[in-house]
Amino acid sequence: MTDTVTDWIAHHAITTPDKTATIDLASGRRHDYAQMNERVGRIAGFLRKAGVKKGDRVGLIALNSSDVLDIIFATWRIGAVHLALNFRLTATELAFIVGDAAPKLVIADIAFSEVVDALKSDTSGVRWVSTDGLGGDTEFENGIANAENMTEMEPLVPTDQAMLMYSSGTTGRPKGVVLTHGNMLAAVINEAINFEADRNTVSYAVMPLFHIGAMMGFSVPAMFFGATAVIERVFEPGAMLEAITSKEFGVTHFLGLPAVYNALAMHPAYQEADFSRIVIAAGGAEPMPEPLLRSWYGHGVPIVEVYGMTEVCGLACSLLREDVPGKIGSAGKAAMFIDMKIMKSDTEEAAPGEQGEIWMRGTNVTPGYWQRPEANESAFSGDWLKSGDIGRKDEQGYIYIDDRIKDMYISGGENVYPAEVENILYMLPQI
């Protein structure tokens, strides 16, 4: 690890300027690293002209596009913080987040104009900039076309904040998770090791890029490696199978939820789809049912299960490709820059095979929640983050995820987790 932060895009623009950086499927735009570097520079110039300074938050509420990556790296170039906004939230929920994060500026997709109009009346002191995510004639595109190309990165150190992402808020108000540049660097190195990612990687993103899982699996890491990120605007099973099959794209890495894998498997094109170039098909964001994993393995695709959360910048542990099918059902071993243990109480570690709460610490673990000292006090024990998830660790160090503590219910005096019930349901041919 270094004591300064490197501009990944500027580096690749020098070393591999002609390498394809991003492919935006909805708009048909392709940018090599030289083109992406200039676009990042102009977005940075636009943000600086709008008054954004080091440490300020820049919000983004948008459907998937290559613009998401451009905006993230432009925000970092001027030392600002990327605020990822979940477009599935209501105007009331988003108004709380925008009010709490206090961004200087929010770039908003015109697809969400109705929600944004409601937000504008509830948030003051925020500049809203419209875009369409397709390179069309919008305030955003016109602004960057006339902006200065900023080529130099604001001096930053690993402890400087890179992102602010809000938790789901299932128990009260959402909490802003602070992620630093050091967290990001540790996370992408973890992925390189666990997911065999390098400059030849071609990632495919179909899940919303406001989510840490989609962002880190594998679009942002692709930019670190000098690889290629293919971005799909919205999920449609047929389009995803076509993109994976395409020799032109050569997709090697993608991440999906159980619902994504189910939808793909039920599509008529699934049987003839070509998965031969896939290096890693990852499954995460929720427990992966074993029947689904075994079905895909039988189809020639070993899905590696991943466990992580926003607070650890995506990845905590995962199976390796060679662990499948022998360890199907496990989420693998802890990644390089993170320690994980199972705690049966706040003071006693669980024995192998015994259930307990998953605790984590490491270079990719958040330093804490945004302006929430009380949340930090309850979520951390020293430098250990309490995940709120129940799991087990076997004698070989493989971790098994059972469920969220709060999702557990008691039936006949026994602890029952929804994931256990779902595993049985997935075995039924009617489902």
Side-chain angles (χ1 to χ4, degrees):
M1 297 292 182
T2 64
D3 57 1
T4 58
V5 174
T6 300
D7 189 325
W8 305 349
I9 307 305
H11 170 78
H12 297 309
I14 294 171
T15 57
T16 53
D18 300 328
K19 176 73 180 290
T20 300
T22 59
I23 300 174
D24 186 278
L25 295 180
S27 67
R29 290 175 296 172
R30 290 171 177 252
H31 293 148
D32 60 29
Y33 275 98
Q35 293 166 327
M36 183 178 182
N37 186 50
E38 180 176 353
R39 184 167 172 83
V40 165
R42 292 194 181 280
I43 297 171
F46 171 73
L47 295 175
R48 181 56 56 81
K49 187 177 180 180
V52 179
K53 298 180 178 62
K54 181 179 180 179
D56 286 343
R57 274 73 58 207
V58 175
L60 176 63
I61 177 168
L63 293 169
N64 282 2
S65 76
S66 57
D67 288 350
V68 176
L69 295 175
D70 296 336
I71 290 165
I72 288 172
F73 286 97
T75 301
W76 290 352
R77 187 166 288 184
I78 60 172
V81 177
H82 176 66
L83 171 64
L85 296 172
N86 181 346
F87 58 70
R88 292 173 174 161
L89 299 179
T90 65
T92 301
E93 291 168 322
L94 284 167
F96 169 79
I97 291 173
V98 172
D100 189 59
K104 177 79 70 172
L105 178 146
V106 178
I107 300 167
D109 197 317
I110 57 176
F112 308 110
S113 56
E114 186 175 335
V115 172
V116 169
D117 287 343
L119 282 172
K120 287 178 180 177
S121 62
D122 289 336
T123 55
S124 58
V126 178
R127 178 178 172 184
W128 295 84
V129 177
S130 63
T131 187
D132 65 1
L134 300 169
D137 183 11
T138 60
E139 182 183 2
F140 175 69
E141 291 295 339
N142 292 332
I144 66 175
N146 298 310
E148 175 190 357
N149 181 7
M150 297 192 64
T151 58
E152 296 297 322
M153 189 175 197
E154 180 80 19
L156 297 169
V157 296
T159 53
D160 283 328
Q161 188 176 350
M163 288 197 185
L164 185 58
M165 285 191 167
Y166 278 74
S167 66
S168 61
T170 53
T171 55
R173 293 291 196 181
K175 301 187 294 291
V177 179
V178 173
L179 294 172
T180 68
H181 286 277
N183 293 152
M184 300 296 300
L185 182 57
V188 297
I189 296 173
N190 280 339
E191 294 206 8
I193 296 167
N194 282 34
F195 300 137
E196 306 169 53
D198 57 27
R199 63 194 298 244
N200 297 312
T201 291
V202 179
S203 69
Y204 175 85
V206 69
M207 292 164 56
L209 289 170
F210 62 70
H211 189 279
I212 194 67
M215 188 181 290
M216 298 303 291
F218 298 87
S219 300
V220 167
M223 300 296 94
F224 174 77
F225 303 125
T228 301
V230 179
I231 310 294
E232 189 79 80
R233 193 159 176 82
V234 294
F235 173 60
E236 196 285 309
M240 183 170 177
L241 290 169
E242 185 178 347
I244 288 171
T245 298
S246 168
K247 291 182 180 180
E248 177 190 356
F249 300 146
V251 172
T252 62
H253 290 66
F254 70 92
L255 170 73
L257 300 170
V260 168
Y261 283 105
N262 272 332
L264 294 176
M266 289 189 293
H267 194 275
Y270 172 68
Q271 294 298 331
E272 301 303 321
D274 181 5
F275 293 93
S276 64
R277 287 174 292 275
I278 298 300
V279 176
I280 293 291
E286 59 185 86
M288 299 289 294
E290 286 190 39
L292 181 149
L293 296 171
R294 296 192 183 281
S295 172
W296 273 79
Y297 182 75
H299 192 65
V301 183
I303 299 173
V304 297
E305 187 161 2
V306 179
Y307 168 73
M309 56 199 306
T310 305
E311 286 86 343
V312 301
C313 207
L315 172 67
C317 61
S318 79
L319 287 178
L320 304 180
R321 190 164 45 150
E322 56 265 32
D323 289 329
V324 183
K327 283 293 185 177
I328 279 182
S330 168
K333 297 181 180 179
M336 176 176 283
F337 289 107
I338 193 166
D339 297 321
M340 302 177 69
K341 63 181 180 180
I342 312 297
M343 298 295 290
K344 62 189 298 183
S345 72
D346 280 350
T347 57
E348 188 178 1
E349 192 165 352
E354 190 174 16
Q355 281 187 329
E357 184 178 14
I358 299 168
W359 287 20
M360 298 172 284
R361 68 178 179 188
T363 316
N364 55 304
V365 176
T366 176
Y369 296 103
W370 176 256
Q371 301 182 137
R372 294 287 291 274
E374 77 289 349
N376 291 332
E377 189 173 343
S378 62
F380 286 88
S381 178
D383 57 354
W384 288 93
L385 172 71
K386 303 175 184 180
S387 71
D389 292 326
I390 291 291
R392 296 162 283 125
K393 184 188 289 189
D394 68 18
E395 292 184 350
Q396 296 173 293
Y398 286 89
I399 293 167
Y400 295 78
I401 313 301
D402 290 317
D403 224 316
R404 294 286 296 171
I405 289 174
K406 296 179 178 65
D407 288 346
M408 183 196 77
Y409 61 93
I410 298 174
S411 175
E414 297 291 334
N415 293 344
V416 178
Y417 295 95
E420 296 173 324
V421 179
E422 288 166 4
N423 264 336
I424 301 300
L425 293 176
Y426 267 95
M427 295 179 185
L428 301 177
Q430 299 93 330
I431 295 178

